[in-house]
């Protein structure tokens, strides 16, 4: 059986615990590999290696560091199909989306490699004569990355690439469900020539390995994407140690459809946003706020098309919706559907675990649509992270904005309208970190900041130039070439 190991100081190694956990294909139940379960001991070793490696890495000129990132981009591109196949087998998303996700990592690698020759700071005039003032970015030190299973390579790329190009070293704990792709990504860094110790991979549960990372004095920052519950826990623990965190958590994203919106386009956007990746994106569409006058027509269009969403093993090119990650997730989704029915929402489509031929050993849930949902029902307020969407009737844009904004999360939102005034009003008033006009809630591009407001995050952003802020400190430098004592705020006034 294939074994997935830790990578510490440039060596692949087992954990001192001797324990392994099975990695399952969510579509077939097949055991793909056994992943080693690390303990605090491996985290200590990984941190030690990272600290030592970072000492010289920070002195390597950023354009030279970036050369390695270009090589990473090239290798990812070369191995795109192979990586996509691994992704689909391990995580379940359909193969087209697997390819798209690897592409997201390739894009990020090129983009961050470019930062090697930018990484702008500021030069500003000094108040004093013959004095020079500037601010530059410097690495934070050792970055602890904790990444989720739903975008196992894209999110890892959003975090590791800016961390490295800015001169940090990494200790990375991927999700236990998707360690195979994580190890492949590390192999690519290795093959690209990244010096040993700069990326270290450890495996295991959040409560053991994640905690050891958060509490380790040698880790200077934690960048985390995952559930709110875990994010809050990290925030508390890291906060007490005054450790920097970048937290990216849930979403309860809504598409608003106004009376004048293109209903065919909206229906396509809703189905893709709600059922792509089986609803397991932080950006997934889980609410539709539609004007009452066009609600029935939109529902008709959704029902006409939902049958085209073939459910099955994502490796089959004709399949449009894959499995959900594991059994407990499947049960949680089913529980929410029951709650929705008890709350009085009307089930329009789906609503159960798929059974029958081809579904026996996988975790398949039928794409599910609820309608006549009240904005404060639990299915309309809580993140389900599965293929379930709730239709809520609205009377106006103002009402849609109010409902959109009343949830605890603030990641993504969308509006379908042909009225430019209403579109701009929506862009201004929807309180999420990402807003789409005439497109669904998913599909963020890597060169723009990715993240959300309120319960979704803590103000930091992955992706885009904003991600440099997570991995760098600002250093302000003053050079006085006057040859005399110049007292700021005194001698110049
Ligand atoms: C996530 O679900 O956490 O915008 C990431 C999107 C993708 C990334 C999603 N580019 O849907």
């Amino acid at each position: 059986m294939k074994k997935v190991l830790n990578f510490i100081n440039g060596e692949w190694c087992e954990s001192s615990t001797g324990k392994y956990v099975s990695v399952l294909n969510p579509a077939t139940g097949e055991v793909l590999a056994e992943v080693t379960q690390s303990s605090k001991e491996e985290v200590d070793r990984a941190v030690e290696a990272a600290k030592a490696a970072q000492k010289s890495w920070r002195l390597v000129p950023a354009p030279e560091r970036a050369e390695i990132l270009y090589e990473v981009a090239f290798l990812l591109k070369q191995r795109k199909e192979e990586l996509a196949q691994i992704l689909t087998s391990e995580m379940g998303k359909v193969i087209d989306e697997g390819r798209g996700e690897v592409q997201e990592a390739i894009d990020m690698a090129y983009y961050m490699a470019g930062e090697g020759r930018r990484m702008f700071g500021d030069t500003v005039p000094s108040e004093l004569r013959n004095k020079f003032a500037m601010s530059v970015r410097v690495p934070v030190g050792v970055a602890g990355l904790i990444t989720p299973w739903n975008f196992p390579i894209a999110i890892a790329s959003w975090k590791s690439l800016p961390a490295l190009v800015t001169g940090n070293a990494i200790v990375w704990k991927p999700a236990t469900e998707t360690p195979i792709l994580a190890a492949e990504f590390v192999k690519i860094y290795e093959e690209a020539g990244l010096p040993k110790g700069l990326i270290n991979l450890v495996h295991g549960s959040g409560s053991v390995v994640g905690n050891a990372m958060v509490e380790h004095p040698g880790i200077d920052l934690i960048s985390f994407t995952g559930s709110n519950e875990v994010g809050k826990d990290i925030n508390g623990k890291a906060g007490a140690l005054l450790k920097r965190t970048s937290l990216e958590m849930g979403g309860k994203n809504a598409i608003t459809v106004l009376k004048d919106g293109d209903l065919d386009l909206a229906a396509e956007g809703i189905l893709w946003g709600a059922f792509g990746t089986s609803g397991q994106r932080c950006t997934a569409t889980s609410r539709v706020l539609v004007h009452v006058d066009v609600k029935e027509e939109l529902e008709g269009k959704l029902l006409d098309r939902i049958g085209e969403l073939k459910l099955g093993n994502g490796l089959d090119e004709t399949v449009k919706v894959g499995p959900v990650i594991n059994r407990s997730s499947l049960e949680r989704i089913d529980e929410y559907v029951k709650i929705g029915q008890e709350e009085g929402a009307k089930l329009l489509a789906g609503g159960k675990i798929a059974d029958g031929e081809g579904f026996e050993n996988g975790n398949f849930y039928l794409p599910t649509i609820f309608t006549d949902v009240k904005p404060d029902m639990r299915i309309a307020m809580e993140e389900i992270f599965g293929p379930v969407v709730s239709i809520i009737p609205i009377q106006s844009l103002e009402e849609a904005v109010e409902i959109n904004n009343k949830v605890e999360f603030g990641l993504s939102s969308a509006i379908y309208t042909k009225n430019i005034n209403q579109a701009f009003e929506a862009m201004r008033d929807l309180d999420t970190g990402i807003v789409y006009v005439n497109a669904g809630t998913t599909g963020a591009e890597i060169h723009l900041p990715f993240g959300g407001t309120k319960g979704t995050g803590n103000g930091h952003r992955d992706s885009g130039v904003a991600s440099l802020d997570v991995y760098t400190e600002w250093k302000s430098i003053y050079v006085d070439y006057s040859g005399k004592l110049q007292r700021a705020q005194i001698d110049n006034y």
Side-chain angles (χ1 to χ4, degrees), residues 104 150-151 155 158 281-283 442-444 450:
E104 199 162 337
N150 70 331
F151 274 81
I155 292 179
W158 293 356
R281 294 194 188 208
C282 311
T283 51
T442 64
F450 180 95

Side-chain angles (χ1 to χ4, degrees), residues 453-466:
T453 60
K454 304 188 291 184
T456 293
N458 66 337
H460 287 289
R461 293 290 185 265
D462 277 321
S463 274
V465 82

Side-chain angles (χ1 to χ4, degrees), residues 22 41 48 57 68 80 154 158 179 186 208 241 294 333 348 356 390 449 452:
S22 300
E41 202 176 311
E48 205 180 303
W57 183 241
I68 295 173
K80 180 172 171 181
W158 293 356
V186 167
V208 177
L241 298 167
V294 292
I333 294 162
L348 210 57
S390 295

